[in-house]
Every structure is written in C-alpha cells, then in structure tokens.
Amino acid sequence: MATPAQLGLQNATSPIMEELIAFHDHALMIIFLISSLVLYIMSLMLTTKLTHTSTMNAQEIEMIWTILPAIILIMIALPSLRILYMTDEFIKPYLTLKAIGHQWYWSYEYSDYEDLAFDSYIMPTYFLEPGEFRLLEVDNRTTLPMEADIRMLVSSHDVLHSWTVPSLGVKTDAIPGRLNQIMLASMRPGLFYGQCSEICGSNHSFMPIVLEFIYFQDFEVWASYLYIVSL
C-alpha cells in the first residue's frame, strides 16, 4: 500500500504491475532526457550572441528534428502496446470471482463454488483493531489463492464504479448492465488494498477493497469452512 511522502508507484505484486513500473521508468527517463536537452538549448539561446547564417536554411537539421521525435515515439509506443496486449491476454483461470459495485459497498461471488458470496463494507473507525488502517479496512476481506490466474468479472448494480487495486496493476470500470473482465495474479501472500476510483456519489471515498492472498491449501480450507457454515 502507499506510504506517507511516497513519490513512486506502489510495490508490485503481480507480473503486470512489474511491467507497468518498468515502462513508467522507461518513459520517465525519455522525458527527463528531452527536458534536459530543451533546457540546455534554451539556456544557450539566452546566453550566447553567436549566430549562424546557414541555420535558417539547413535541410540536415530539419531532418534530424523530424526523424528523432518519430524514433522516440516508437520507443515509447512499442513497450506500451506490448503491455496493453498482456493485460488483455486471458488464459484458463484457476478461479472466477465476480465483483458488483453498490452505493457504497462491494459484493463478491465465487462462481466456482456454490452459494459462496458476501458483501464487503467499510469497517467503522471504532471497530478497528491496532494496526488496521482507517478508511481502508473492510468487514469481509476477499480471500484468494496466490500464484494462480484469477478471472475478475466486474459490474455494477446502480451507478458507475471502478474496481482498483494499484499493487496488482488492475483498474476496471463497473458499469450497470455490462460485465467487464480482467485477469489478476499475486506472486506473494499478503494484504493488498484498493478503493473505488470512479466518483459514484456522496460516499465514494468509503468503498475500500481488501484482497488477502493466501496459499492454495489454506484457500481450500477457507472455502470449505465457508461452505459448511452456509449450510
């Protein structure tokens, strides 16, 4: 999760987020080099009195400042398109989870398990335990297995929402009457926090998302326990 005075992105826990961070650093370095070059040229123009009469009609330099930006754009576009196709790649999932946005809470349904569904509300401040985060904790955490390809189906019951978990590199709009699909996976166990990222009403700030990734065997025990309890 984010920390105070953090300047960069959150630590990646999925392969997609690792690719996004690498692309962010790649594009940021290109922007830094371009900005440095422009600043250097501007400082030269303001400090030197030397002129060159051939500059007004120089075909070579015109070719350079036409071709060079095109090359830079290609250097940015190719990695971007690669990551875009990676995010749209769907393989056979181990588990399917459906998230439905409401004003102002989330509902989750495990499609591979019978009658395994629950609502997830924000935890009131006076119920928080020591070490829990205000405005980020929920009463029912979404438990998922780590190192598994999980298909997320995201929709909404009323207005536009957005299901977002930054450390996983996922952000999908929840639209009434539409079912959006994404793939996610976590390479390590732990708690990962997110929030609704679409202004959806007066309590938009109070729709946190908490994912708890655990080991395979622990997940099966958890799912069996909930099934027995629901009987």
Side-chain angles (χ1 to χ4, degrees):
M1 61 174 295
T3 57
Q6 179 177 336
L7 297 179
L9 301 173
Q10 295 185 22
N11 293 331
T13 185
S14 68
I16 292 296
M17 190 59 187
E18 291 177 356
E19 294 286 344
L20 291 173
I21 292 177
F23 175 71
H24 168 268
D25 297 339
H26 169 74
L28 194 63
M29 183 57 64
I30 293 176
I31 294 172
F32 174 75
L33 294 176
I34 293 174
S35 302
S36 301
L37 178 61
V38 172
L39 183 62
Y40 173 71
I41 294 175
M42 290 178 62
S43 62
L44 285 183
M45 293 175 62
L46 295 173
T47 56
T48 184
K49 295 182 179 180
L50 298 177
T51 58
H52 199 289
T53 55
S54 300
T55 305
M56 300 301 295
N57 188 21
Q59 299 296 327
E60 293 81 5
I61 194 171
E62 289 185 6
M63 291 181 61
I64 291 174
W65 69 42
T66 301
I67 296 175
L68 187 59
I71 295 175
I72 294 174
L73 289 176
I74 293 174
M75 292 174 61
I76 296 175
L78 291 181
S80 176
L81 291 173
R82 174 177 172 270
I83 297 175
L84 183 64
Y85 280 103
M86 287 178 62
T87 57
D88 286 338
E89 182 180 4
F90 294 97
I91 57 179
K92 185 178 180 180
Y94 170 79
L95 180 70
T96 299
L97 177 65
K98 184 177 181 181
I100 303 174
H102 304 266
Q103 288 183 312
W104 288 270
Y105 64 96
W106 294 98
S107 296
Y108 295 98
E109 300 175 5
Y110 290 78
S111 303
D112 300 289
Y113 296 86
E114 185 178 358
D115 297 329
L116 185 51
F118 55 84
D119 297 331
S120 181
Y121 289 86
I122 187 172
M123 183 74 75
T125 304
Y126 47 83
F127 285 154
L128 292 177
E129 299 290 338
E132 294 183 339
F133 301 102
R134 177 178 173 269
L135 300 183
L136 286 177
E137 293 291 345
V138 295
D139 56 353
N140 290 315
R141 293 172 175 172
T142 306
T143 305
L144 296 170
M146 60 172 286
E147 295 181 343
D149 295 308
I150 299 167
R151 176 173 56 189
M152 283 292 307
L153 302 177
V154 183
S155 186
S156 174
H157 183 262
D158 35 48
V159 299
L160 291 177
H161 301 279
S162 184
W163 197 86
T164 306
V165 182
S167 57
L168 291 173
V170 295
K171 181 180 186 295
T172 304
D173 289 337
I175 304 172
R178 180 185 176 92
L179 205 61
N180 289 330
Q181 178 178 250
I182 54 172
M183 294 291 291
L184 60 89
S186 176
M187 296 296 102
R188 55 188 172 90
L191 291 176
F192 305 102
Y193 295 88
Q195 289 178 302
C196 177
S197 298
E198 186 75 38
I199 297 178
C200 55
S202 59
N203 289 334
H204 156 69
S205 303
F206 307 102
M207 289 184 62
I209 301 165
V210 182
L211 302 182
E212 183 176 3
F213 283 91
I214 58 178
Y215 294 101
F216 271 105
Q217 57 271 23
D218 297 330
F219 175 78
E220 293 296 338
V221 171
W222 173 84
S224 301
Y225 170 76
L226 287 187
Y227 176 74
I228 294 174
V229 170
S230 63
L231 292 179

